[in-house]
């Protein structure tokens, strides 16, 4: 009897260890697969991580990519250590440098680096930021915008990241290993329109998406003073008004900055560099608290003021 039982016990033990090996192999495969391909994470998995803050970054001049003397460069390089240590599942950037008739998202597997500036040092054109694309996020953005009543949302299957996106991200997340999707602005619309776009995108925060508006607190290239160390009075007055309005929660005033702010047309002859602020503000919500996280100047009129919008649960 003992001779008959021994092979049976051995077979059961062998089957048990085989089953245990297979389970662990599958678990290891899933871990490696999703670690190597963060864009494969489903929305259900993403929902375990919430990113409650949204941000507006003044990206200033393209030379931010190489100029070590700019304080804003050090601010962005210290992003993970001093500003936002949480690692997002993906990043949505609303950049001033992509203006379209209708909201558009880039739907790519890997982002090309767009050098959309001219006459700068050659080394800037050699810089690359090959972050993964975020096609699932792009689809989610499109669905949310259409659900909010926006009828036309376009997909661009060739566009990469313009310098409004990749220059700050290169300093903030130099590993370029977080999936990035870019959303355009519509210069012919209003601040309120872009604020409402932000409101429609608010659910992304619960899905681990970091929403960043990338523009400039002031942006009048014709008024830059390349040899001056003083700040133009009109630029300072507008920048101070914007700071006070945001910190005091006067978001409706910011939505109508053209009528409310001093020197609004001088600070923004065209509105594309302030509209990313409205999107970040709207995504944070009416009860969000704004915080000035950086302030510096370049060329006497270009403000690098940047803001965090913090939403409590």
């Amino acid at each position: 009897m003992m001779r008959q039982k021994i092979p049976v016990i051995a077979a059961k033990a062998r089957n048990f260890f085989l089953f245990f090996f297979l389970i662990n192999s599958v678990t290891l495969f899933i871990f490696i697969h999703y670690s190597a391909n963060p864009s494969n994470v489903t929305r259900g998995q993403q929902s375990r991580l919430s990113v409650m803050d949204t941000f507006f970054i003044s990206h200033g001049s393209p030379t931010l990519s190489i100029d070590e003397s700019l304080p804003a460069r050090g601010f962005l390089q210290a992003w993970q250590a001093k500003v936002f240590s949480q690692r997002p599942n993906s990043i949505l950037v609303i950049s001033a440098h992509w203006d379209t008739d209708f909201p558009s998202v880039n739907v790519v597997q890997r982002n090309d680096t767009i050098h959309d500036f001219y006459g700068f040092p050659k080394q800037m054109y050699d810089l690359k930021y090959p972050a993964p694309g975020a096609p699932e996020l792009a689809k989610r953005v499109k669905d949310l915008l259409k659900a909010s009543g926006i009828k036309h949302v376009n997909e661009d299957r060739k566009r990469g990241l313009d310098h409004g996106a990749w220059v700050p991200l290169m300093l903030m997340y130099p590993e370029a290993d977080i999936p990035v999707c870019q959303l355009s602005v519509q210069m012919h619309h209003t601040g309120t329109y872009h604020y409402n776009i932000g409101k429609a995108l608010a659910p992304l925060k619960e899905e681990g998406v970091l929403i960043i508006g990338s523009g400039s607190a002031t942006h009048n290239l014709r008024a830059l003073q390349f040899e001056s160390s003083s700040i133009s009075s009109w630029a300072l007055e507008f920048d101070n008004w914007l700071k006070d309005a945001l910190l005091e929660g006067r978001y409706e005033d910011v939505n109508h900055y053209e009528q409310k702010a001093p020197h609004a047309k001088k600070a923004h002859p065209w509105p594309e560099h302030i509209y990313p602020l409205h999107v970040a503000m709207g995504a944070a919500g009416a009860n969000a608290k704004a915080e000035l996280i950086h302030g510096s100047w370049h060329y006497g009129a270009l403000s690098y003021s940047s803001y965090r919008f913090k939403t409590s649960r």
Side-chain angles (χ1 to χ4, degrees):
M1 290 293 292
M2 286 297 296
R3 292 176 183 172
Q4 293 176 345
K5 287 183 178 180
I6 289 174
V8 172
I9 293 172
K12 288 183 178 180
R14 188 168 57 249
N15 290 339
F16 171 79
F17 283 114
L18 179 61
F19 175 77
F20 181 79
F21 174 78
L22 289 173
I23 289 295
N24 279 276
S25 297
V26 171
T27 302
L28 180 61
F29 170 79
I30 292 173
F31 174 78
I32 294 172
H33 179 64
Y34 284 110
S35 296
N37 301 278
S39 61
N40 288 329
V41 179
T42 66
R43 195 154 75 239
Q45 290 167 313
Q46 288 176 341
S47 65
R48 298 172 190 169
L49 170 69
S50 295
V51 176
M52 300 312 293
D53 297 351
T54 65
F55 293 89
F56 171 71
I57 303 297
S58 288
H59 62 250
S61 167
T63 55
L64 181 66
S65 61
I66 61 169
D67 190 347
E68 297 285 352
S69 71
L70 293 175
R73 181 178 170 89
F75 155 67
L76 292 172
Q77 287 175 322
W79 180 264
Q80 296 182 65
K82 296 183 178 180
V83 180
F84 191 72
S85 60
Q86 191 175 0
R87 180 182 171 86
N89 289 325
S90 53
I91 300 172
L92 176 65
V93 180
I94 302 90
S95 171
H97 292 278
W98 191 16
D99 173 52
T100 56
D101 289 336
F102 302 103
S104 300
V105 288
N106 72 325
V107 186
V108 296
Q109 293 298 323
R110 178 71 58 177
N111 281 296
D112 291 331
T113 306
I114 304 174
H115 299 89
D116 52 337
F117 42 76
Y118 308 94
F120 287 89
K122 180 183 181 302
Q123 66 190 102
M124 292 171 57
Y125 299 93
D126 294 331
L127 296 172
K128 305 292 182 185
Y129 190 77
E136 287 299 318
L137 174 57
K139 182 180 184 303
R140 178 76 171 129
V141 169
K142 182 176 181 178
D143 290 345
L144 287 171
L145 293 181
K146 296 194 80 169
S148 74
I150 295 177
K151 294 181 179 179
H152 301 287
V153 181
N154 294 330
E155 297 181 5
D156 191 320
R157 297 185 174 274
K158 295 182 179 179
R159 186 181 178 87
L161 302 177
D162 60 55
H163 82 269
W166 68 261
V167 169
L169 288 179
M170 180 184 69
L171 302 173
M172 297 158 70
Y173 298 101
E175 300 84 1
D177 59 353
I178 301 176
V180 181
C181 174
Q182 192 169 326
L183 172 65
S184 66
V185 296
Q186 286 70 65
M187 194 166 62
H188 60 285
H189 277 294
T190 65
T192 297
Y193 166 89
H194 287 87
Y195 181 83
N196 289 332
I197 281 182
K199 285 175 64 177
L201 299 176
L204 296 176
K205 296 182 298 180
E206 296 285 356
E207 298 165 18
V209 178
L210 176 58
I211 299 174
I212 299 174
S214 179
S216 193
T218 60
H219 192 262
N220 186 337
L221 300 184
R222 293 184 178 181
L224 299 183
Q225 304 174 61
F226 295 97
E227 303 300 327
S228 175
S229 59
S230 62
I231 303 170
S232 298
S233 59
W234 60 265
L236 188 59
E237 288 179 31
F238 180 88
D239 194 60
N240 284 336
W241 176 89
L242 183 61
K243 177 185 69 176
D244 292 343
L246 290 173
L247 299 190
E248 293 168 11
R250 294 188 282 114
Y251 298 153
E252 271 304 296
D253 283 356
V254 179
N255 282 342
H256 299 92
Y257 76 95
E258 304 100 317
Q259 294 81 35
K260 300 287 186 177
H263 314 292
K265 193 66 175 176
K266 181 95 171 179
H268 290 279
W270 305 101
E272 79 286 346
H273 271 75
I274 197 169
Y275 282 166
L277 167 65
H278 293 94
V279 179
M281 194 168 66
N287 297 321
K289 300 297 183 184
E291 174 191 355
L292 179 68
I293 54 176
H294 178 75
S296 62
W297 291 87
H298 197 198
Y299 298 140
L302 193 60
S303 170
Y304 280 93
S305 291
S306 299
Y307 294 89
R308 179 206 307 260
F309 297 94
K310 199 170 188 65
T311 307
S312 57
R313 291 182 179 277

